[in-house]
Amino acid sequence: MKIMQIWYQESDIPVDYENTAITIGIFDGVHLGHGRVLAQTVAVAREKGLKALALTFQPHPRLVHQPDTDLHLITSLEDRLERLEAAGMDAVYVQHYDLPFAATEPRDFIENLLVKTLRAKAIIVGQDTRFGRNNSGDGKLLQEIGADLGIDVHIIADFCDASGRRWSSTWVRDLLAAGDVGGAAKVLGRPHRIRGVVEHGFKRGRELGFPTANLSGDNLGEVPAQGVYAGWLVQEVPGAKAVIKLPAAISIGMNPQFAGERVTVEAHVLGRADLNLYGQEIAIDFIEYLRPMQKFASVAQLLAQMDEDLRKCALVLGVPVSCRVNPADVTAK
């Protein structure tokens, strides 16, 4: 099976690596619009006998130019690389993005990075591409310089939905901010995923028969709007490129029933009391929004609603309906 190469600096590139067909972008989310450009890159590479290569950037340029901005990545770098590999890339070059790199003149960007370092013989980009100092480089300039250097340049038209809206990372963020994880999945081509390390909480859920895996902090990715969702808790299998997906009811919010003070993501795996996930990195895939967060008049009313949440989750996910677990059966400490 082909294994995609990942390079973080010029010295990582094998000296005998073949010429490339390159596409350029942050690829945050690796949504269907990105997928169209990536597919064209692979097609050009195969037609011309080149390697398909994606040039991406880390950290996100906006975080460098606007360090106080409230921006969370739709996909972690790990997931981004996984999606690029699935799209057929032979290699990815992860360019460290900082202010000195941002000051690169457009011609230097093309001649030195794309052609000299990354051995471009073809360049494939979307029509909104921008590069170089102050984003002064665009598709037209790329075509002009490419013609001078004998490089084939392909500009791919925007990919839009039936209403004419361009498929973009911004659109995904707007949908997630509204809790529309189903809509986000249509733009992404798959469920939206966040990642984090399971931490200890107040253990109120287990006392009520709903033990949860708790995530919090600023490094989870783009967390959807507060509310209750149906989805999957995803565990990686150690030593293998495989995962286990467990059906889950997911709560995002400040736990108004108990006067919480910070937003947390809590995932209850349906019917399971035997999981011990503390300290493990997990992922959560969001499938459907169920209801908003709310405070109930009593804990009894809260429990009745949570029982209904479990039922709805099971129906959405196509798994058997489960009930609350016995708190005495919870094995995690």
Side-chain angles (χ1 to χ4, degrees), residues 32-66:
L32 292 179
H34 294 140
R36 186 169 183 171
V37 176
L38 294 166
Q40 186 62 28
T41 303
V42 172
V44 170
R46 302 297 176 259
E47 177 187 348
K48 297 181 178 294
L50 306 171
K51 293 295 187 181
L53 186 148
L55 169 62
T56 192
F57 306 94
Q58 184 75 3
H60 193 292
R62 195 187 308 172
L63 295 172
V64 173
H65 294 286
Q66 304 171 35

mmCIF file of all heavy atoms in Angstrom, residues 32-66:
data_model
loop_
_atom_site.group_PDB
_atom_site.id
_atom_site.type_symbol
_atom_site.label_atom_id
_atom_site.label_comp_id
_atom_site.label_asym_id
_atom_site.label_seq_id
_atom_site.Cartn_x
_atom_site.Cartn_y
_atom_site.Cartn_z
ATOM 1 N N LEU A 32 -15.255 19.556 0.328
ATOM 2 C CA LEU A 32 -15.456 19.093 -1.038
ATOM 3 C C LEU A 32 -14.893 20.048 -2.078
ATOM 4 O O LEU A 32 -14.501 19.628 -3.166
ATOM 5 C CB LEU A 32 -16.948 18.851 -1.285
ATOM 6 C CG LEU A 32 -17.562 17.676 -0.510
ATOM 7 C CD1 LEU A 32 -19.039 17.549 -0.830
ATOM 8 C CD2 LEU A 32 -16.839 16.374 -0.848
ATOM 9 N N GLY A 33 -14.847 21.349 -1.752
ATOM 10 C CA GLY A 33 -14.200 22.283 -2.661
ATOM 11 C C GLY A 33 -12.719 21.985 -2.793
ATOM 12 O O GLY A 33 -12.161 21.977 -3.902
ATOM 13 N N HIS A 34 -12.068 21.736 -1.643
ATOM 14 C CA HIS A 34 -10.669 21.304 -1.683
ATOM 15 C C HIS A 34 -10.535 20.000 -2.468
ATOM 16 O O HIS A 34 -9.584 19.808 -3.234
ATOM 17 C CB HIS A 34 -10.138 21.071 -0.268
ATOM 18 C CG HIS A 34 -10.061 22.299 0.566
ATOM 19 N ND1 HIS A 34 -10.401 22.310 1.905
ATOM 20 C CD2 HIS A 34 -9.684 23.568 0.276
ATOM 21 C CE1 HIS A 34 -10.224 23.521 2.396
ATOM 22 N NE2 HIS A 34 -9.799 24.306 1.429
ATOM 23 N N GLY A 35 -11.480 19.099 -2.238
ATOM 24 C CA GLY A 35 -11.417 17.793 -2.877
ATOM 25 C C GLY A 35 -11.388 17.887 -4.388
ATOM 26 O O GLY A 35 -10.722 17.086 -5.064
ATOM 27 N N ARG A 36 -12.078 18.889 -4.942
ATOM 28 C CA ARG A 36 -12.097 19.059 -6.393
ATOM 29 C C ARG A 36 -10.704 19.432 -6.902
ATOM 30 O O ARG A 36 -10.243 18.911 -7.917
ATOM 31 C CB ARG A 36 -13.119 20.131 -6.758
ATOM 32 C CG ARG A 36 -13.351 20.299 -8.232
ATOM 33 C CD ARG A 36 -14.549 21.186 -8.489
ATOM 34 N NE ARG A 36 -14.831 21.311 -9.908
ATOM 35 C CZ ARG A 36 -15.921 21.890 -10.387
ATOM 36 N NH1 ARG A 36 -16.832 22.372 -9.555
ATOM 37 N NH2 ARG A 36 -16.120 21.985 -11.687
ATOM 38 N N VAL A 37 -10.033 20.338 -6.192
ATOM 39 C CA VAL A 37 -8.685 20.751 -6.590
ATOM 40 C C VAL A 37 -7.705 19.595 -6.403
ATOM 41 O O VAL A 37 -6.828 19.355 -7.252
ATOM 42 C CB VAL A 37 -8.240 21.980 -5.781
ATOM 43 C CG1 VAL A 37 -6.795 22.373 -6.116
ATOM 44 C CG2 VAL A 37 -9.173 23.162 -6.041
ATOM 45 N N LEU A 38 -7.831 18.869 -5.298
ATOM 46 C CA LEU A 38 -6.941 17.739 -5.039
ATOM 47 C C LEU A 38 -7.105 16.646 -6.098
ATOM 48 O O LEU A 38 -6.120 16.059 -6.567
ATOM 49 C CB LEU A 38 -7.209 17.173 -3.642
ATOM 50 C CG LEU A 38 -6.855 18.102 -2.478
ATOM 51 C CD1 LEU A 38 -7.467 17.588 -1.176
ATOM 52 C CD2 LEU A 38 -5.347 18.254 -2.329
ATOM 53 N N ALA A 39 -8.353 16.389 -6.480
ATOM 54 C CA ALA A 39 -8.602 15.367 -7.501
ATOM 55 C C ALA A 39 -7.971 15.772 -8.831
ATOM 56 O O ALA A 39 -7.406 14.929 -9.545
ATOM 57 C CB ALA A 39 -10.101 15.143 -7.667
ATOM 58 N N GLN A 40 -8.045 17.059 -9.168
ATOM 59 C CA GLN A 40 -7.446 17.525 -10.406
ATOM 60 C C GLN A 40 -5.926 17.435 -10.345
ATOM 61 O O GLN A 40 -5.267 17.117 -11.341
ATOM 62 C CB GLN A 40 -7.880 18.958 -10.701
ATOM 63 C CG GLN A 40 -7.431 19.498 -12.048
ATOM 64 C CD GLN A 40 -8.005 18.722 -13.218
ATOM 65 O OE1 GLN A 40 -9.084 18.134 -13.114
ATOM 66 N NE2 GLN A 40 -7.294 18.694 -14.335
ATOM 67 N N THR A 41 -5.373 17.690 -9.160
ATOM 68 C CA THR A 41 -3.921 17.566 -8.983
ATOM 69 C C THR A 41 -3.469 16.134 -9.222
ATOM 70 O O THR A 41 -2.474 15.883 -9.913
ATOM 71 C CB THR A 41 -3.525 18.014 -7.561
ATOM 72 O OG1 THR A 41 -3.963 19.357 -7.349
ATOM 73 C CG2 THR A 41 -2.016 17.945 -7.363
ATOM 74 N N VAL A 42 -4.196 15.184 -8.669
ATOM 75 C CA VAL A 42 -3.862 13.773 -8.876
ATOM 76 C C VAL A 42 -3.997 13.411 -10.349
ATOM 77 O O VAL A 42 -3.143 12.703 -10.917
ATOM 78 C CB VAL A 42 -4.765 12.879 -8.007
ATOM 79 C CG1 VAL A 42 -4.556 11.404 -8.351
ATOM 80 C CG2 VAL A 42 -4.481 13.115 -6.530
ATOM 81 N N ALA A 43 -5.056 13.904 -11.004
ATOM 82 C CA ALA A 43 -5.268 13.588 -12.411
ATOM 83 C C ALA A 43 -4.124 14.122 -13.279
ATOM 84 O O ALA A 43 -3.629 13.422 -14.172
ATOM 85 C CB ALA A 43 -6.606 14.164 -12.880
ATOM 86 N N VAL A 44 -3.707 15.365 -13.026
ATOM 87 C CA VAL A 44 -2.601 15.945 -13.789
ATOM 88 C C VAL A 44 -1.311 15.165 -13.530
ATOM 89 O O VAL A 44 -0.535 14.882 -14.461
ATOM 90 C CB VAL A 44 -2.416 17.435 -13.431
ATOM 91 C CG1 VAL A 44 -1.131 17.993 -14.030
ATOM 92 C CG2 VAL A 44 -3.619 18.254 -13.901
ATOM 93 N N ALA A 45 -1.082 14.827 -12.267
ATOM 94 C CA ALA A 45 0.131 14.075 -11.924
ATOM 95 C C ALA A 45 0.176 12.741 -12.660
ATOM 96 O O ALA A 45 1.216 12.358 -13.223
ATOM 97 C CB ALA A 45 0.197 13.862 -10.416
ATOM 98 N N ARG A 46 -0.937 12.019 -12.670
ATOM 99 C CA ARG A 46 -0.955 10.719 -13.322
ATOM 100 C C ARG A 46 -0.796 10.858 -14.845
ATOM 101 O O ARG A 46 -0.110 10.058 -15.485
ATOM 102 C CB ARG A 46 -2.261 9.984 -12.992
ATOM 103 C CG ARG A 46 -2.510 9.773 -11.501
ATOM 104 C CD ARG A 46 -1.436 8.888 -10.862
ATOM 105 N NE ARG A 46 -1.640 8.783 -9.413
ATOM 106 C CZ ARG A 46 -0.971 9.463 -8.510
ATOM 107 N NH1 ARG A 46 -0.032 10.338 -8.884
ATOM 108 N NH2 ARG A 46 -1.208 9.303 -7.212
ATOM 109 N N GLU A 47 -1.409 11.877 -15.405
ATOM 110 C CA GLU A 47 -1.318 12.091 -16.851
ATOM 111 C C GLU A 47 0.112 12.397 -17.290
ATOM 112 O O GLU A 47 0.571 11.934 -18.343
ATOM 113 C CB GLU A 47 -2.247 13.243 -17.255
ATOM 114 C CG GLU A 47 -2.182 13.604 -18.725
ATOM 115 C CD GLU A 47 -2.979 14.858 -19.053
ATOM 116 O OE1 GLU A 47 -3.767 15.312 -18.193
ATOM 117 O OE2 GLU A 47 -2.800 15.384 -20.173
ATOM 118 N N LYS A 48 0.842 13.172 -16.472
ATOM 119 C CA LYS A 48 2.177 13.631 -16.853
ATOM 120 C C LYS A 48 3.300 12.814 -16.228
ATOM 121 O O LYS A 48 4.477 13.142 -16.398
ATOM 122 C CB LYS A 48 2.327 15.106 -16.469
ATOM 123 C CG LYS A 48 1.367 16.038 -17.202
ATOM 124 C CD LYS A 48 1.577 17.487 -16.800
ATOM 125 C CE LYS A 48 0.643 18.408 -17.578
ATOM 126 N NZ LYS A 48 0.969 18.413 -19.025
ATOM 127 N N GLY A 49 2.950 11.777 -15.484
ATOM 128 C CA GLY A 49 3.975 10.958 -14.860
ATOM 129 C C GLY A 49 4.706 11.666 -13.733
ATOM 130 O O GLY A 49 5.908 11.462 -13.519
ATOM 131 N N LEU A 50 3.980 12.489 -12.965
ATOM 132 C CA LEU A 50 4.545 13.260 -11.864
ATOM 133 C C LEU A 50 4.027 12.727 -10.533
ATOM 134 O O LEU A 50 3.107 11.904 -10.486
ATOM 135 C CB LEU A 50 4.166 14.740 -12.001
ATOM 136 C CG LEU A 50 4.516 15.411 -13.330
ATOM 137 C CD1 LEU A 50 3.877 16.799 -13.412
ATOM 138 C CD2 LEU A 50 6.027 15.514 -13.500
ATOM 139 N N LYS A 51 4.607 13.207 -9.451
ATOM 140 C CA LYS A 51 4.095 12.923 -8.116
ATOM 141 C C LYS A 51 3.130 14.038 -7.701
ATOM 142 O O LYS A 51 3.388 15.215 -7.943
ATOM 143 C CB LYS A 51 5.241 12.827 -7.104
ATOM 144 C CG LYS A 51 6.168 11.636 -7.312
ATOM 145 C CD LYS A 51 5.458 10.319 -7.091
ATOM 146 C CE LYS A 51 6.439 9.144 -7.122
ATOM 147 N NZ LYS A 51 5.752 7.850 -6.922
ATOM 148 N N ALA A 52 2.006 13.646 -7.090
ATOM 149 C CA ALA A 52 1.023 14.619 -6.610
ATOM 150 C C ALA A 52 1.447 15.112 -5.232
ATOM 151 O O ALA A 52 1.611 14.312 -4.304
ATOM 152 C CB ALA A 52 -0.363 13.986 -6.544
ATOM 153 N N LEU A 53 1.632 16.416 -5.107
ATOM 154 C CA LEU A 53 2.140 16.998 -3.863
ATOM 155 C C LEU A 53 1.259 18.159 -3.424
ATOM 156 O O LEU A 53 0.864 18.994 -4.245
ATOM 157 C CB LEU A 53 3.580 17.483 -4.064
ATOM 158 C CG LEU A 53 4.319 17.993 -2.818
ATOM 159 C CD1 LEU A 53 5.812 17.700 -2.921
ATOM 160 C CD2 LEU A 53 4.128 19.504 -2.624
ATOM 161 N N ALA A 54 0.964 18.209 -2.137
ATOM 162 C CA ALA A 54 0.220 19.332 -1.559
ATOM 163 C C ALA A 54 1.152 20.152 -0.679
ATOM 164 O O ALA A 54 1.848 19.604 0.179
ATOM 165 C CB ALA A 54 -0.968 18.827 -0.739
ATOM 166 N N LEU A 55 1.163 21.462 -0.907
ATOM 167 C CA LEU A 55 1.887 22.398 -0.049
ATOM 168 C C LEU A 55 0.868 23.018 0.892
ATOM 169 O O LEU A 55 -0.076 23.678 0.455
ATOM 170 C CB LEU A 55 2.569 23.475 -0.878
ATOM 171 C CG LEU A 55 3.140 24.677 -0.121
ATOM 172 C CD1 LEU A 55 4.234 24.248 0.848
ATOM 173 C CD2 LEU A 55 3.663 25.733 -1.092
ATOM 174 N N THR A 56 1.046 22.794 2.188
ATOM 175 C CA THR A 56 0.145 23.378 3.176
ATOM 176 C C THR A 56 0.953 24.135 4.209
ATOM 177 O O THR A 56 2.186 24.137 4.175
ATOM 178 C CB THR A 56 -0.740 22.295 3.824
ATOM 179 O OG1 THR A 56 -1.788 22.925 4.576
ATOM 180 C CG2 THR A 56 0.066 21.376 4.747
ATOM 181 N N PHE A 57 0.272 24.809 5.129
ATOM 182 C CA PHE A 57 0.935 25.747 6.036
ATOM 183 C C PHE A 57 0.506 25.502 7.477
ATOM 184 O O PHE A 57 -0.649 25.211 7.756
ATOM 185 C CB PHE A 57 0.606 27.192 5.628
ATOM 186 C CG PHE A 57 0.911 27.479 4.187
ATOM 187 C CD1 PHE A 57 -0.082 27.355 3.218
ATOM 188 C CD2 PHE A 57 2.182 27.831 3.790
ATOM 189 C CE1 PHE A 57 0.195 27.585 1.881
ATOM 190 C CE2 PHE A 57 2.478 28.068 2.454
ATOM 191 C CZ PHE A 57 1.473 27.941 1.497
ATOM 192 N N GLN A 58 1.464 25.645 8.381
ATOM 193 C CA GLN A 58 1.213 25.456 9.806
ATOM 194 C C GLN A 58 2.123 26.404 10.585
ATOM 195 O O GLN A 58 3.326 26.417 10.327
ATOM 196 C CB GLN A 58 1.492 24.009 10.202
ATOM 197 C CG GLN A 58 1.189 23.650 11.638
ATOM 198 C CD GLN A 58 -0.301 23.504 11.921
ATOM 199 O OE1 GLN A 58 -1.129 23.627 11.020
ATOM 200 N NE2 GLN A 58 -0.650 23.244 13.160
ATOM 201 N N PRO A 59 1.608 27.243 11.474
ATOM 202 C CA PRO A 59 0.197 27.395 11.848
ATOM 203 C C PRO A 59 -0.616 28.124 10.772
ATOM 204 O O PRO A 59 -0.067 28.543 9.749
ATOM 205 C CB PRO A 59 0.281 28.234 13.122
ATOM 206 C CG PRO A 59 1.525 29.035 12.943
ATOM 207 C CD PRO A 59 2.500 28.132 12.248
ATOM 208 N N HIS A 60 -1.909 28.266 11.030
ATOM 209 C CA HIS A 60 -2.784 28.976 10.105
ATOM 210 C C HIS A 60 -2.286 30.419 9.965
ATOM 211 O O HIS A 60 -2.007 31.090 10.961
ATOM 212 C CB HIS A 60 -4.214 28.972 10.660
ATOM 213 C CG HIS A 60 -5.251 29.395 9.669
ATOM 214 N ND1 HIS A 60 -5.339 30.678 9.180
ATOM 215 C CD2 HIS A 60 -6.266 28.693 9.078
ATOM 216 C CE1 HIS A 60 -6.345 30.764 8.339
ATOM 217 N NE2 HIS A 60 -6.918 29.570 8.245
ATOM 218 N N PRO A 61 -2.134 30.921 8.739
ATOM 219 C CA PRO A 61 -1.621 32.287 8.548
ATOM 220 C C PRO A 61 -2.358 33.363 9.335
ATOM 221 O O PRO A 61 -1.738 34.319 9.813
ATOM 222 C CB PRO A 61 -1.775 32.499 7.044
ATOM 223 C CG PRO A 61 -1.606 31.129 6.473
ATOM 224 C CD PRO A 61 -2.293 30.210 7.452
ATOM 225 N N ARG A 62 -3.665 33.216 9.501
ATOM 226 C CA ARG A 62 -4.395 34.253 10.239
ATOM 227 C C ARG A 62 -3.934 34.342 11.689
ATOM 228 O O ARG A 62 -3.915 35.415 12.288
ATOM 229 C CB ARG A 62 -5.904 33.993 10.189
ATOM 230 C CG ARG A 62 -6.715 35.233 10.618
ATOM 231 C CD ARG A 62 -8.192 34.943 10.743
ATOM 232 N NE ARG A 62 -8.740 34.305 9.564
ATOM 233 C CZ ARG A 62 -9.983 33.824 9.511
ATOM 234 N NH1 ARG A 62 -10.780 33.894 10.580
ATOM 235 N NH2 ARG A 62 -10.433 33.245 8.406
ATOM 236 N N LEU A 63 -3.535 33.220 12.267
ATOM 237 C CA LEU A 63 -3.051 33.227 13.644
ATOM 238 C C LEU A 63 -1.696 33.915 13.763
ATOM 239 O O LEU A 63 -1.325 34.397 14.838
ATOM 240 C CB LEU A 63 -2.956 31.798 14.177
ATOM 241 C CG LEU A 63 -4.280 31.045 14.315
ATOM 242 C CD1 LEU A 63 -4.028 29.595 14.673
ATOM 243 C CD2 LEU A 63 -5.169 31.715 15.352
ATOM 244 N N VAL A 64 -0.956 33.974 12.662
ATOM 245 C CA VAL A 64 0.335 34.663 12.650
ATOM 246 C C VAL A 64 0.132 36.164 12.457
ATOM 247 O O VAL A 64 0.736 36.979 13.163
ATOM 248 C CB VAL A 64 1.236 34.084 11.540
ATOM 249 C CG1 VAL A 64 2.518 34.901 11.406
ATOM 250 C CG2 VAL A 64 1.557 32.626 11.835
ATOM 251 N N HIS A 65 -0.726 36.534 11.524
ATOM 252 C CA HIS A 65 -0.951 37.954 11.237
ATOM 253 C C HIS A 65 -1.886 38.616 12.242
ATOM 254 O O HIS A 65 -1.793 39.822 12.475
ATOM 255 C CB HIS A 65 -1.515 38.109 9.822
ATOM 256 C CG HIS A 65 -0.561 37.719 8.748
ATOM 257 N ND1 HIS A 65 0.521 38.493 8.381
ATOM 258 C CD2 HIS A 65 -0.501 36.606 7.968
ATOM 259 C CE1 HIS A 65 1.194 37.888 7.403
ATOM 260 N NE2 HIS A 65 0.594 36.738 7.150
ATOM 261 N N GLN A 66 -2.780 37.828 12.834
ATOM 262 C CA GLN A 66 -3.739 38.346 13.821
ATOM 263 C C GLN A 66 -3.729 37.417 15.041
ATOM 264 O O GLN A 66 -4.657 36.651 15.246
ATOM 265 C CB GLN A 66 -5.138 38.422 13.212
ATOM 266 C CG GLN A 66 -5.229 39.246 11.952
ATOM 267 C CD GLN A 66 -6.583 39.105 11.275
ATOM 268 O OE1 GLN A 66 -7.637 38.961 11.918
ATOM 269 N NE2 GLN A 66 -6.575 39.132 9.956
#
